[in-house]
Amino acid sequence: MEPRALIDVFDGDDHFVQRLLVASWPLRIGRALDNDLVLDDPFAAAHHAQIAPDETGALQARDLGTRNRLRAARGKRQVAMLRLVTPCTLVVGHTRLRIRIEADSLAAELPDRHELWLTRPIVGIAGLIGVVAIEGAERWFGADGQREIAGLFIPLLGVAALVLGWAGIWALIGRLASKRAEYLPHLGIGAAALFAFSAWETLSQIVSYALALPGLTRFGYIAIGVVVAAAVFVHLNHSNRARPRLFAGIAMAVLASVIGFGMLGAHERSGRFATEAYSTNLFPPRLRLATAQPLDALIDRSTALARLVSAERKPQRGDKDEDSQE
Amino acid sequence: MRPRSRRVRRSFAALFAAILAFEGGMPGQAADAPPDASGEARRIFEQAREKLVQIRTLALPSRSQASTGSGFVISADGLVVTNYHVVSQAALEKAPYALEFVSVDGQSGGLEIVALDVQHDLAILKREGWALPVIELAAAAREMRRGEKLFSLGKPLDLGFVINEGLYNGLVERDLYGHLLFSSALNSGMSGGPALDTEGRVAGINVARRLDGQLVSFLIPVRYLHQLIAAARPPLQLLAQRQAEIGRQLLAHQETVMATLFDKPWPSQIQGGYQVPVLPETLARCWGTNNADGGSGIGSSNTQCNLGAGRFVTRNLMLGNLRIEYRHHETSKLDGWRFWSAMRSQFSGRVFGGRKDRQRTPPRCEEADIDTAIGAQRVVMCLSAFHRFEGLYQFTLLAVTLDASGSALTSQLTADGVTEANAQRLARRVLDGMRWNPGR
């Protein structure tokens, strides 16, 4: 006989317990062995409920005279009778039943993000090596004194530990939330994020120098915010692919927080939102593409600068007292 | 122990603005005067003794002593002269202070500020209804000869009034206002006291000593006191009045400095492949060093010029000075990436200040690649305004040449307390004055 319904059973901790294909109605539920669906739930009665179509053909769940009766969902009111509009849930004792019938329409399938290249194990390992390599190269070419390979060991170990630790945190979250740690995919995501940040940092400095665009690197917390938010979204979405909108919202909140605190910190220190007073990006002159301006252009801008700082004066500010002898 | 930077700052303050700070404990009692003490000094001291006072700044309401200096009476109606820096707390700080005099005989009373001269570090105070003998001033035009004997008086370290014999040794070189070089000991607490000639007339006013020398002291020429007396107005009773007056004088000071600087062309100096303009030898001291490649792969040479025109304003603020530094870097070992990475370190962290700075606003900068006679340079101009002195700015100019892969010239000019117009003139003078080294 063709199945008429499918019931998934979840225990009090919402862990999946069993699946039942229902071939005919009525369906009796309870702890006793003569039920059609036998529950291992001390809060369910021996014969707790029965599901059957009513005279109109709609499914109904009826309490069989128990103490705890029925609920439409956890936390909802206890009732003796429930009309089941499938797909729906029914709570018997502490057990949750998810019920759907053959006629229920099904949502379109979710895209299979398992195939996202970032989450392949090989990417994780390669990403870790790549991040260590780019950090090593930055330090190697940035050193202005003697180059010592041994001197790179501790900094690079720190970078590797950062990525490994970050992936570990996400694997732990995945393990707790969905019973899937998936360390290597998270390692790939973390390494890609750090790689993206390192690449942006270096490239933006070069572009800023080449095109004389100092503003490109004076708000570094924006790039950090974007990279961290994107990484958080991909990590969350990999752990649970059913809630992309929620995770997008979380990522946006992370972005706003990083940028907000970055602006606040810069302003508290220096009274401006940029992280540095002026750009210090210097590279070999052959990379310069911008055309030099006449000095008058900069002098003209300094006039506006004088107006700006004058407007920030607080004439009543005084000195601290200090005892002394003249 | 104070942090080193603070000590260094204080040393500079002492060098150029007469902060004769006393930070040690109380020394033992001085020995009795030797029986063969100079009869001349004894005579001078006896003549001046009733006209000498100690000036005390008292923190209110406790009236505990915040600082002390010395002074002398110049008019029968109670005008007293001292250094501006002796009374600067009472003159300019928001916290309440009072000024008090104590005579050699132990009389004391309150004083109010009548006139201030920040440029020359002088102040005139007044005690109403008070009459004391007056000390005579030497004529403004009086010319002194090197080796002439002078006697400085005051109350060092709050221990007791003293007279020190010393010699006038001409005018201080490269000094905008022509301070007198005085070979004798001036100690903390003697600031503002008179330096008398053998006739007992005021030839100068004690102001400063060098901490890194022995018996190298400075006096303010008496002609500036004549000018201040002539220009004295009604008492400056309100903080706002004093602040405005000091601001006006600081503006005048920087105009004097700039007029002197721009009056003549600046000499050139060779730095690597470039010729750079430096401050005239007659106005400023320039020091230089050469550093061979010490393992970093980069050799450098530098020149640093300091105008030494800073005026003491408050304990934490000196305005009016100008410094220029050029540093040429060259490598034959490093590739371009690593050399310019080192230049990045050289170029960063050159502009200081933030929201917690009580004296000035956070610095704001403009930057651009500028076309100069030695090719393109990355130029940064930063300004911050002084909270209490409208129209005065701290100006920093940074520049680095961009014409070669393995060498670079970094330049920095810092002017404390200039107008916007003078900041721009300085930027032009430095950047327009750069040339290629003809022998490169």
Side-chain angles (χ1 to χ4, degrees), chain B residues 136-182:
Chain B
E136 191 183 348
L137 304 185
R142 181 186 187 287
E143 286 190 9
M144 288 194 290
R145 289 167 301 167
R146 197 181 297 264
E148 188 174 329
K149 197 185 289 183
L150 293 176
F151 299 88
S152 69
L153 293 89
K155 192 172 184 183
L157 308 174
D158 201 18
L159 296 175
F161 286 92
V162 302
I163 181 166
N164 288 341
E165 187 174 315
L167 298 177
Y168 165 72
N169 269 302
L171 300 181
V172 178
E173 292 181 2
R174 304 181 191 86
D175 185 325
L176 206 60
Y177 297 123
H179 284 97
L180 314 183
L181 188 56
F182 178 53

Side-chain angles (χ1 to χ4, degrees), chain B residues 181-429:
Chain B
L181 188 56
F182 178 53
S183 300
S184 182
L186 287 186
N187 285 299
S188 301
M190 293 181 74
S191 288
L196 306 178
D197 59 18
T198 50
E199 305 296 318
R201 291 173 303 200
V202 178
I205 298 98
N206 304 337
V207 67
R209 68 179 155 121
R210 284 288 290 248
L211 295 178
D212 55 347
Q214 292 180 355
L215 302 183
V216 181
S217 303
F218 307 102
L219 305 174
I220 301 165
V222 73
R223 69 174 183 278
Y224 294 125
L225 179 55
H226 282 291
Q227 289 172 10
L228 185 60
I229 293 167
R233 297 180 179 84
L236 299 166
Q237 288 175 327
L238 301 176
L239 173 63
Q241 289 175 327
R242 296 191 292 268
Q243 193 164 301
E245 174 62 16
I246 291 168
R248 188 190 64 73
Q249 292 180 15
L250 290 170
L251 277 167
H253 171 67
Q254 66 90 43
E255 288 298 350
T256 304
V257 171
M258 294 303 151
T260 311
L261 273 179
F262 289 113
D263 185 42
K264 53 188 80 170
W266 291 6
S268 287
Q269 198 176 79
I270 301 297
Q271 283 292 336
Y274 313 96
Q275 267 188 352
V276 294
V278 294
L279 299 180
E281 173 71 11
T282 51
L283 298 174
R285 290 174 177 83
C286 296
W287 301 89
T289 55
N290 288 325
N291 302 300
D293 168 10
S296 67
I298 299 175
S300 68
S301 61
N302 83 315
T303 291
Q304 211 171 3
C305 299
N306 192 330
L307 190 61
R311 300 290 99 183
F312 179 97
V313 181
T314 69
R315 196 160 310 282
N316 306 311
L317 186 64
M318 288 186 76
L319 293 181
N321 200 20
L322 179 72
R323 294 174 298 281
I324 300 182
E325 181 180 8
Y326 299 100
R327 189 177 287 268
H328 180 255
H329 315 260
E330 196 161 29
T331 184
S332 56
K333 295 179 183 172
L334 301 184
D335 57 74
W337 288 93
R338 292 179 61 221
F339 175 74
W340 283 94
S341 173
M343 290 303 99
R344 195 156 57 235
S345 306
Q346 285 284 332
F347 203 59
S348 64
R350 294 279 175 158
V351 178
F352 303 102
R355 285 184 69 220
K356 291 179 182 167
D357 192 322
R358 300 178 67 83
Q359 303 294 348
R360 55 195 180 94
T361 62
R364 308 279 177 192
C365 302
E366 283 286 355
E367 58 193 298
D369 287 2
I370 297 298
D371 195 18
T372 67
I374 53 172
Q377 292 194 65
R378 168 64 52 86
V379 178
V380 181
M381 290 174 72
C382 301
L383 287 174
S384 63
F386 288 93
H387 286 299
R388 290 184 290 178
F389 305 114
E390 189 176 5
L392 287 174
Y393 303 88
Q394 168 137 339
F395 171 59
T396 306
L397 174 77
L398 300 173
V400 57
T401 54
L402 302 173
D403 65 297
S405 178
S407 72
L409 173 76
T410 55
S411 312
Q412 176 167 358
L413 178 148
T414 306
D416 303 321
V418 288
T419 60
E420 173 203 339
N422 281 330
Q424 293 174 349
R425 288 172 77 192
L426 286 167
R428 283 187 201 282
R429 177 61 68 104

Side-chain angles (χ1 to χ4, degrees), chain A residues 140-147 205-206 208-209 212 214 218 267-273 277-288 290-296 298-310 312-326, chain B residues 6 20-22 66-68 85 89 93-95 97 157-158 188-189 243 295-296 314-316 336-338 340-342 344 347-351 354-355 357-359 361-367 369-371 376 378-381 383 385-388 390 393 398 402 404 420 424 428 431:
Chain A
W140 183 257
F141 289 109
D144 58 358
Q146 297 99 335
R147 287 184 278 199
Q205 286 173 356
I206 293 174
S208 163
Y209 171 75
R218 291 176 62 190
H267 195 261
E268 280 184 338
R269 280 191 304 277
S270 61
R272 60 174 183 266
F273 293 117
Y278 59 95
S279 168
T280 56
N281 300 316
L282 291 174
F283 291 93
R286 64 177 179 274
L287 296 180
R288 272 186 72 252
T291 307
Q293 303 173 23
L295 178 58
D296 284 345
L298 187 61
I299 297 277
D300 289 347
R301 279 153 58 191
S302 74
T303 301
L305 206 59
R307 278 200 298 273
L308 178 68
V309 293
S310 293
E312 293 175 340
R313 285 178 60 236
K314 294 173 185 162
Q316 298 308 314
R317 281 187 98 154
D319 277 339
K320 285 182 180 173
D321 301 341
E322 281 184 62
D323 290 351
S324 71
Q325 193 165 44
E326 305 297 328
Chain B
R6 178 118 175 247
L20 305 175
F22 169 55
S67 67
T68 66
H85 77 256
Q89 282 168 297
E93 291 184 13
K94 202 165 52 178
Y97 286 98
L157 308 174
D158 201 18
S188 301
Q243 193 164 301
S296 67
T314 69
R315 196 160 310 282
N316 306 311
W337 288 93
R338 292 179 61 221
W340 283 94
S341 173
R344 195 156 57 235
F347 203 59
S348 64
R350 294 279 175 158
V351 178
R355 285 184 69 220
D357 192 322
R358 300 178 67 83
Q359 303 294 348
T361 62
R364 308 279 177 192
C365 302
E366 283 286 355
E367 58 193 298
D369 287 2
I370 297 298
D371 195 18
R378 168 64 52 86
V379 178
V380 181
M381 290 174 72
L383 287 174
F386 288 93
H387 286 299
R388 290 184 290 178
E390 189 176 5
Y393 303 88
L398 300 173
L402 302 173
E420 173 203 339
Q424 293 174 349
R428 283 187 201 282
L431 293 170

Side-chain angles (χ1 to χ4, degrees), chain B residues 20-69:
Chain B
L20 305 175
F22 169 55
E23 298 181 41
M26 292 288 288
Q29 291 296 312
D32 292 336
D36 59 345
S38 158
E40 195 172 28
R42 195 166 55 223
R43 176 179 57 78
I44 298 279
F45 184 81
E46 284 307 319
Q47 281 176 4
R49 118 182 257 286
E50 287 185 303
K51 306 152 194 174
L52 277 179
V53 289
Q54 181 191 37
I55 308 292
R56 303 170 67 205
T57 302
L58 306 176
L60 297 179
S62 67
R63 299 189 69 79
S64 55
Q65 189 166 286
S67 67
T68 66

Side-chain angles (χ1 to χ4, degrees), chain B residues 89-161:
Chain B
Q89 282 168 297
L92 204 49
E93 291 184 13
K94 202 165 52 178
Y97 286 98
L99 292 171
E100 186 184 75
F101 75 90
V102 181
S103 70
V104 176
D105 297 328
Q107 285 184 60
S108 65
L111 293 165
E112 63 181 352
I113 296 170
V114 173
L116 297 170
D117 183 350
V118 177
Q119 281 172 275
H120 306 106
D121 202 355
L122 288 170
I124 298 178
L125 316 174
K126 183 163 187 174
R127 165 72 171 171
E128 288 292 350
W130 182 48
L132 274 180
V134 172
I135 211 160
E136 191 183 348
L137 304 185
R142 181 186 187 287
E143 286 190 9
M144 288 194 290
R145 289 167 301 167
R146 197 181 297 264
E148 188 174 329
K149 197 185 289 183
L150 293 176
F151 299 88
S152 69
L153 293 89
K155 192 172 184 183
L157 308 174
D158 201 18
L159 296 175
F161 286 92

Side-chain angles (χ1 to χ4, degrees), chain A residues 116-130 183-185 187-189 191:
Chain A
L116 187 63
W117 64 271
L118 273 179
T119 60
R120 290 181 183 165
I122 187 68
V123 174
I125 295 165
L128 181 63
I129 294 168
Y183 184 80
L184 285 177
L187 183 62
I189 297 167

